[in-house]
């Protein structure tokens, strides 16, 4: 892991659904190169507490969760959705779990704070204000 990839605020031990764990590990295994964000995600998954989808706490960010976030220094509140790379569309707020921000969001809790180092070396942080929608909390255990 690169030195910059270790400077983040996401909990060392995160909670993920068993389904997200399997899907994300399969995705990582299918990739050839490992960016710092992918290495960070892989490390987080290696240490993750896996739980059945129907028991994941409602304040945990899982795949396809929509969250309201705000820059730590204030500013506009915006909604982001954590998604798989093929679904990513930053203009619509869909952030890939393989991006630095996406890797930071996975398994984090709301309210809380996530931080990451961008590819250009700049440090960023967001306050996770609230979860707007979590698939599992709404009975969708296969999202």
């Amino acid at each position: 892991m690169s030195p910059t990839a270790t400077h983040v605020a996401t909990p060392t031990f995160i909670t993920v659904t068993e389904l997200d764990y399997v899907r994300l590990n399969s995705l990582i295994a299918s990739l050839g190169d490992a960016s710092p964000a992918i290495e960070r995600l892989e490390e987080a998954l290696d240490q993750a507490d896996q739980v059945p989808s129907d028991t994941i706490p409602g304040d945990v960010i899982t795949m396809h969760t929509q969250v309201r976030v705000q820059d730590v220094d204030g500013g506009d509140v915006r909604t982001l959705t954590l998604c798989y790379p093929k679904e990513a569309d930053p203009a619509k707020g869909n952030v890939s779990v393989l991006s630095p921000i996406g890797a930071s969001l996975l398994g984090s809790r709301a309210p809380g704070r996530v931080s990451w180092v961008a590819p250009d070396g700049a440090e960023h942080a967001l306050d996770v204000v609230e979860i707007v929608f979590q698939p599992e909390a709404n009975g969708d255990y296969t999202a």
Side-chain angles (χ1 to χ4, degrees), residues 19-69:
L19 182 58
D20 286 350
Y21 179 86
V22 169
R23 287 179 175 171
L24 290 170
N25 273 306
S26 293
L27 176 62
I28 291 168
S30 72
L31 303 172
D33 296 329
S35 69
I38 294 170
E39 289 176 359
R40 174 205 167 120
L41 177 60
E42 189 172 33
E43 181 180 299
L45 288 172
D46 286 346
Q47 299 174 12
D49 182 21
Q50 302 168 51
V51 298
S53 295
D54 62 350
T55 65
I56 190 89
D59 64 344
V60 174
I61 299 172
T62 62
M63 294 305 299
H64 297 115
T65 294
Q66 293 178 344
V67 295
R68 283 204 177 92
V69 298

Side-chain angles (χ1 to χ4, degrees), residues 80-137:
L80 300 177
T81 302
L82 183 63
C83 64
Y84 292 96
K86 290 181 181 180
E87 304 161 330
D89 185 346
K92 293 182 179 179
N94 297 339
V95 295
S96 170
V97 69
L98 297 184
S99 69
I101 186 175
S104 295
L105 285 168
L106 181 71
S108 295
R109 293 182 179 259
R113 181 172 285 182
V114 296
S115 63
W116 66 97
V117 176
D120 66 1
E123 295 183 18
H124 299 274
L126 289 174
D127 286 325
V128 179
V129 178
E130 69 178 330
I131 290 181
V132 177
F133 174 82
Q134 182 207 62
E136 295 81 7

